[in-house]
Amino acid sequence: MGIKTKIFKINRNKIDLKLIKSAAELIQAGGLVAFPTETVYGLGANAFNPEAVAQIFKAKGRPTDNPLIVHISEFSQLAELVEKVPADAKMLMDKYWPGPLTLILKASKRVPKIVTAGLDTVAVRLPSHPVAMALIHEAGLPIAAPSANLSGKPSPTTAKHVIEDLAGRVGIIIDSGKADIGVESTVLDVSRHPFVILRPGGITLESISKSFKVRLHKSFIDSSADIVPEAPGMKYRHYAPKAKLMVLTGTQPKLESSIIQLTKELKSQGKRIGVLSPFPADFHANLTITTKNSKHEFATRLFDSLRKFDEKQIDIILVAGVNARGIGAAVMNRLEKAAVYKVIKV
Ligand code: TXA
Ligand code: MG
């Protein structure tokens, strides 16, 4: 597409307000700005301008039945977005905002239908990244933003990923380096009780359930069940690399030796193999990415790794899964969504 895309480098510790102002003006004028958040990069437009929001769907190639998250920088902005803020939802906001928690609340009549895909609820979040906060504050309006990737590609955790996907399709891309968390926010439906986690993410089930009654959506517990998607995004095969992804779980040393064995077998069938694991072993794969043995580090490197495997034309990616507690739930959810095979226990 033919738009000239400007790249603004903004240091999160020393924010250039002139650049923020220029990006905020583009949002006010109905344009698109890709910006960093603590989870992944977002692609933003004025949430109250339906034509501007329509451009987001067009730039990403996103189906219009998949609603967007509205990003705010001040609690006071909630008044024009939601019918009311129930007391328990307010407690969650006080505890987790700013931060990677998206809350589903009853929408006010003012929120354009294109933002909510016609649902009577709206997703809202107050991000903690200083550049995101400065941009929303300066724009003086709520910013609707999905992740800033082409639909079907892994979410972007660096500006380079955004440029790969969206250069020529958006007015401004802000580059503030790597995203801290690397997987998207937790989507929590607080419009019903008990609360339901529709997407595991940066804020964990374990943390929320210390103070609130909450359950995981049943699709995470029984993935074979025939379930109507409640976060419309659930029904799409997200985060899909071109390569086939195979996730193995188990304990050492069995897990490591299984990956070595599978790599050997699949290579002998002429496949190009990628391995993503915390093990320092030599797998003799075509591309091996070794993460430190921490779920947090795995989360920050997951989407970048998927893109790297595609660049190297890998046919099959073998991944050592993590245990699904804490941030591990978000990691395993993203892996399961990207995998074409069921998770294999070794
Ligand atoms: O961390 C994040 O959440 C990033 C950054 C940019 O904030 N954003 C993000 O947006 O991941 P997106 O559009 O890629 O994912 C939003 C998810 C989708 O699965 C969508 O279906 C769901 O939230 N969602 C949005 N509004 C909803 C609603 N009213 N009810 C249920 N699910 C909703
Ligand atoms: Mg997304």
Side-chain angles (χ1 to χ4, degrees):
M1 271 193 252
I3 307 176
K4 170 119 185 54
T5 303
K6 289 187 201 151
I7 316 286
F8 287 180
K9 266 202 185 296
I10 302 184
N11 180 340
R12 55 180 293 159
N13 298 315
K14 205 170 146 246
I15 293 178
D16 182 336
L17 285 175
K18 274 221 323 263
L19 291 180
I20 290 287
K21 198 153 188 277
S22 166
E25 279 165 6
L26 182 60
I27 296 273
Q28 289 162 348
L32 301 185
V33 175
F35 62 97
T37 83
E38 70 278 25
T39 56
V40 300
Y41 276 72
L43 176 59
N46 176 358
F48 287 134
N49 179 340
E51 288 83 35
V53 174
Q55 294 307 310
I56 294 179
F57 287 92
K58 198 169 152 215
K60 278 184 59 103
R62 179 180 177 106
T64 49
D65 62 353
N66 195 3
L68 306 181
I69 298 173
V70 178
H71 298 66
I72 59 175
S73 59
E74 266 93 13
F75 278 57
S76 59
Q77 291 172 295
L78 281 167
E80 49 189 11
L81 292 170
V82 305
E83 265 180 15
K84 65 171 194 300
V85 178
D88 48 9
K90 177 72 171 56
M91 285 168 67
L92 280 160
M93 294 169 187
D94 287 339
K95 184 162 181 196
Y96 294 110
W97 283 3
L101 179 68
T102 295
L103 297 176
I104 307 291
L105 291 154
K106 286 267 175 282
S108 84
K109 301 259 181 314
R110 250 202 97 182
V111 182
K113 286 285 164 217
I114 188 164
V115 172
T116 62
L119 299 174
D120 62 0
T121 52
V122 62
V124 189
R125 114 172 170 88
L126 200 162
S128 63
H129 195 290
V131 173
M133 290 175 111
L135 176 68
I136 303 162
H137 181 78
E138 190 61 36
L141 43 84
I143 295 183
S147 48
N149 51 288
L150 284 175
S151 215
K153 289 258 230 138
S155 289
T157 53
T158 65
K160 176 176 167 276
H161 300 156
V162 181
I163 294 166
E164 276 165 19
D165 283 12
L166 298 178
R169 294 167 180 257
V170 307
I172 293 171
I173 297 173
I174 299 178
D175 180 354
S176 301
K178 257 169 85 171
D180 308 320
I181 299 176
V183 289
E184 303 88 338
S185 62
T186 301
V187 177
L188 182 67
D189 187 347
V190 294
S191 72
R192 52 182 154 161
H193 294 87
F195 301 155
V196 182
I197 293 182
L198 300 179
R199 178 177 74 183
I203 300 291
T204 65
L205 167 72
E206 290 85 347
S207 172
I208 298 170
S209 54
K210 275 186 199 142
S211 319
F212 302 91
K213 203 165 158 44
V214 60
R215 62 178 179 84
L216 271 175
H217 190 268
K218 44 189 176 309
S219 65
F220 305 125
I221 296 153
D222 179 5
S223 58
S224 64
D226 188 16
I227 289 158
V228 180
E230 292 186 60
M234 282 174 176
K235 70 175 179 236
Y236 297 107
R237 185 171 164 254
H238 276 223
Y239 323 109
K242 287 191 213 96
K244 289 193 172 131
L245 195 130
M246 207 185 264
V247 185
L248 296 98
T249 59
T251 47
Q252 270 283 53
K254 186 84 193 295
L255 184 51
E256 185 179 315
S257 62
S258 302
I259 294 175
I260 291 172
Q261 184 59 31
L262 256 175
T263 305
K264 200 168 152 197
E265 270 173 44
L266 293 166
K267 272 183 81 182
S268 75
Q269 296 167 20
K271 304 283 187 215
R272 288 178 58 78
I273 304 302
V275 172
L276 176 60
S277 90
F279 312 130
D282 187 357
F283 293 99
H284 299 285
N286 300 86
L287 177 61
T288 300
I289 298 179
T290 311
T291 65
K292 284 200 208 92
N293 204 356
S294 114
K295 289 185 278 196
H296 286 275
E297 156 131 349
F298 196 114
T300 60
R301 296 187 57 186
L302 173 60
F303 290 143
D304 180 62
S305 299
L306 296 184
R307 285 180 186 251
K308 288 208 169 96
F309 288 123
D310 275 348
E311 276 164 26
K312 289 274 186 263
Q313 268 120 39
I314 296 300
D315 299 305
I316 301 177
I317 309 167
L318 304 175
V319 184
V322 297
N323 88 42
R325 283 191 296 277
I327 191 79
V331 168
M332 287 307 284
N333 168 258
R334 304 311 185 268
L335 286 174
E336 280 161 16
K337 286 195 116 186
V340 287
Y341 305 98
K342 286 227 172 287
V343 172
I344 302 161
K345 289 201 180 67
V346 301

